Amino acid sequence: MTKQQANWSPYDNNGGTCVAVAGADYCVIAADTRMSTGYNILTRDYSKIIKLADRCVMASSGFQADVRALQKVLASRHLIYQHQHNKQMSCPAMGQLLSNTLYYKRFFPYYSFNVLGGLDSEGKGCVFTYDAVGSYERVGYSSQGSGATLIMPFLDNQLKSPSPLLLPAKDAVTPLSESEAIDLVKTCFASATERDIYTGDKLEIVILNGSGIRREEMDLRKD
Amino acid sequence: LQVMDSAPVENSLMSSESDIQRTQYPYVTGTSVVGIKYKDGILLAADMGGSYGSTIRYKSVERLKPVGKHSLLGASGEISDFQEIMKYLDELILYDNMWDDGNSFGPKEVHNYLTRVMYNRRNKFNPLWNSLVLGGVKNGQKYLGSVSMIGVHYEDNHVATGFGNHLARPILRDEWHENLSYEEGVKLLEKCMRVLLYRDRSAVNKLQIAKITEEGVTISQPYSLKTFWNFSAFQNPTVGAEGSW
């Protein structure tokens, strides 16, 4: 008698790519809006971006049901924080909360690949990048998801991140202007869409700066 | 089910005597459900087959059901799990009615509830083996969503489950547009269901189309689609290869 094997997987990969770029006084967070399963497209219009706090936006790709559950947990924790502290969570604080939330399910992970973007307490752009179990670091820019392998090297080339081994530590935020950064992100997605079958349809961009938060959209190839 | 091992390890992916109920197979299943938004509301279509593996065991299974005043649920997958979901929803609507506060759950709320139920069952490794389509209208707002057995959910102008994703969605992507009339919508759904009938071996030629508008729900009487086999290739199939099989 052989052991019964599972005949279904609790996970699925619904695809998609996320990118975030931090600037001196802004942050750009972007993700495509395609949701797929296997070789099928389920919908061309699903947002992977959520505003967690006034100065903190998260983009996540991976298994959509886990992403949604994670978003709900964080939103709920933020509400409690607001009740207890009478203020919004800062982006670095949310960064730590996200890490802890992910590690909490270390032995049945949220299959969610996240980038957190926002403004830190000094108003400077900040980006945090995560793996599925909560390992994270603050960076100047990052990409996650199915197109990340295509986008990350391009971002490395364009944004010339200083070596983290330097002393004193050099800031990783890009000297690019806000509009230049947005253009760069659009270029990233246009290129990733060409070669990654799970990326496409539409690009949703969220820009956070001193004046607040705004959204932009761009069509991507639908094939 | 005895686990014969010198060092038995209970892993949530392997069932043993204590949790034999977890990992599952579906037994009696329904095939595709297709749904579209149209001018006045939502149209859902599903056939009435309940398959037991490769046998078409039941031919009068109603897979489209109203939920509360504003929603319609269509289910594919394990029929007994669908019946269980209807019990959960009946209780949900009952409690909603008992508030007696003039408010009632719309399709968005029901869809969210179903998503949470499906996801939580998946988390316990004991899924409800269904793919659901939830459509409705409330206060003029049309809503059409889908949830899978592992909690993957989305809304769109047209949705489908199972084979419908492969065969019906491409037709809908090409021919769906905003403000379809009722007749156009039914024609479009029938086109999808006909293709499914030709190509899905678990499809049966007995279907229902359900409509939901602000006014309420109508589920049609079961009927059959006309099929067309008068293609010249079917007339004399072996011409050109006489003697071969």
Side-chain angles (χ1 to χ4, degrees):
Chain A
M1 171 124 309
T2 47
K3 279 184 195 151
Q4 196 182 13
Q5 295 287 343
N7 48 17
W8 63 282
S9 169
Y11 292 113
D12 189 14
N13 189 351
N14 302 117
T17 309
C18 311
V19 167
V21 176
D25 61 350
Y26 67 87
C27 189
V28 177
I29 301 99
D32 70 327
T33 62
R34 172 175 286 180
M35 197 171 117
S36 17
T37 176
Y39 284 118
N40 290 331
I41 295 176
L42 290 173
T43 185
R44 298 188 191 277
D45 200 12
Y46 191 86
S47 174
K48 298 181 182 62
I49 303 181
I50 186 175
K51 182 181 117 163
L52 292 172
D54 271 352
R55 295 141 117 241
C56 186
V57 171
M58 179 173 78
S60 322
S61 73
F63 174 45
Q64 185 254 11
D66 272 351
V67 166
R68 188 77 192 98
L70 179 65
Q71 289 175 347
K72 281 174 158 245
V73 166
L74 293 172
S76 150
R77 288 297 300 271
H78 184 235
L79 191 60
I80 294 168
Y81 181 96
Q82 286 179 80
H83 290 155
Q84 292 175 341
H85 301 273
N86 196 24
K87 64 173 184 175
Q88 294 274 322
M89 268 177 97
S90 68
C91 196
M94 185 59 84
Q96 186 67 61
L97 177 64
L98 174 54
S99 171
N100 294 155
T101 307
L102 290 169
Y103 197 79
Y104 193 77
K105 274 177 51 82
R106 170 65 178 76
F107 300 109
F108 184 18
Y110 288 112
Y111 191 79
S112 169
F113 298 96
N114 313 292
V115 280
L116 196 69
L119 304 171
D120 65 15
S121 327
E122 296 161 21
K124 277 174 40 186
C126 67
V127 170
F128 295 95
T129 189
Y130 296 78
D131 72 0
V133 287
S135 168
Y136 83 117
E137 78 174 308
R138 182 171 176 173
V139 289
Y141 58 90
S142 183
S143 67
Q144 290 285 350
S146 57
T149 47
L150 298 164
I151 292 178
M152 207 56 183
F154 175 62
L155 251 27
D156 287 336
N157 175 268
Q158 295 296 303
L159 298 176
K160 286 202 183 72
S161 186
S163 169
L165 301 169
L166 284 173
L167 273 177
K170 256 188 114 186
D171 226 350
V173 296
T174 176
L176 287 179
S177 76
E178 190 183 290
S179 52
E180 284 174 324
I182 293 170
D183 239 33
L184 180 69
V185 162
K186 287 179 178 175
T187 309
C188 285
F189 273 89
S191 308
T193 303
E194 292 289 312
R195 293 291 181 175
D196 177 25
I197 61 173
Y198 300 109
T199 302
D201 293 329
K202 218 161 46 178
L203 172 62
E204 187 187 2
I205 310 175
V206 170
I207 305 107
L208 269 151
N209 56 27
S211 341
I213 196 167
R214 77 170 199 284
R215 265 186 88 239
E216 264 188 52
E217 265 188 9
M218 183 182 95
D219 269 350
L220 294 171
R221 283 182 66 154
K222 293 171 169 25
D223 62 359
Chain B
L1 193 78
Q2 289 288 356
V3 175
M4 299 208 250
D5 197 342
S6 57
V9 167
E10 270 208 36
N11 176 308
S12 51
L13 285 174
M14 294 182 273
S15 121
S16 73
E17 233 181 292
S18 56
D19 46 30
I20 197 167
Q21 294 304 321
R22 279 193 181 173
T23 318
Q24 292 169 321
Y25 304 87
Y27 286 92
V28 180
T29 54
T31 185
S32 324
V33 178
V34 187
I36 55 173
K37 282 189 191 170
Y38 79 108
K39 184 161 62 81
D40 307 321
I42 312 290
L43 285 168
L44 292 188
D47 70 21
M48 301 192 77
S51 304
Y52 184 65
S54 53
T55 322
I56 295 176
R57 174 67 183 84
Y58 301 102
K59 296 198 204 171
S60 299
V61 180
E62 288 182 20
R63 298 197 289 118
L64 302 172
K65 294 277 187 192
V67 178
K69 286 203 287 272
H70 306 282
S71 316
L72 258 181
L73 175 64
S76 66
E78 173 61 58
I79 299 297
S80 63
D81 281 349
F82 173 47
Q83 292 169 346
E84 187 81 350
I85 288 168
M86 285 313 299
K87 277 180 73 181
Y88 286 147
L89 286 173
D90 286 342
E91 188 185 37
L92 180 79
I93 299 300
L94 178 70
Y95 274 80
D96 185 37
N97 289 340
M98 288 304 102
W99 282 105
D100 196 24
D101 57 1
N103 200 2
S104 51
F105 282 145
K108 247 191 246 268
E109 288 80 50
V110 177
H111 185 224
N112 186 60
Y113 173 78
L114 287 171
T115 303
R116 288 301 113 216
V117 167
M118 302 302 271
Y119 184 69
N120 276 291
R121 289 289 296 256
R122 163 262 185 198
N123 283 349
K124 296 193 283 195
F125 278 86
N126 187 201
L128 288 160
W129 206 286
N130 297 107
S131 286
L132 307 168
V133 170
L134 197 292
V137 199
K138 191 175 170 207
N139 299 333
Q141 291 266 51
K142 299 184 282 240
Y143 186 91
L144 182 60
S146 173
V147 198
S148 81
M149 67 183 256
I150 50 173
V152 173
H153 60 282
Y154 64 98
E155 334 155 30
D156 210 336
N157 295 318
H158 44 77
V159 299
T161 67
F163 264 95
N165 268 316
H166 295 97
L167 299 170
R169 289 305 283 292
I171 298 174
L172 296 170
R173 287 212 175 94
D174 204 24
E175 297 184 25
W176 184 90
H177 58 86
E178 205 80 57
N179 294 320
L180 285 162
S181 73
Y182 172 71
E183 289 75 26
E184 287 174 322
V186 170
K187 245 183 102 186
L188 188 52
L189 279 179
E190 284 184 349
K191 184 172 186 180
C192 294
M193 297 304 283
R194 185 171 292 110
V195 171
L196 287 164
L197 184 60
Y198 287 142
R199 292 295 180 178
D200 178 5
R201 74 162 188 181
S202 26
V204 297
N205 195 2
K206 185 177 171 193
L207 71 146
Q208 291 179 300
I209 297 210
K211 165 174 83 120
I212 182 164
T213 62
E214 195 73 57
E215 279 76 57
V217 172
T218 324
I219 303 181
S220 74
Q221 284 303 309
Y223 70 104
S224 300
L225 292 170
K226 272 179 85 162
T227 54
F228 306 93
W229 304 95
N230 295 336
F231 295 104
S232 56
F234 295 148
Q235 303 296 31
N236 201 2
T238 61
V239 79
E242 295 289 340
S244 82
W245 56 275

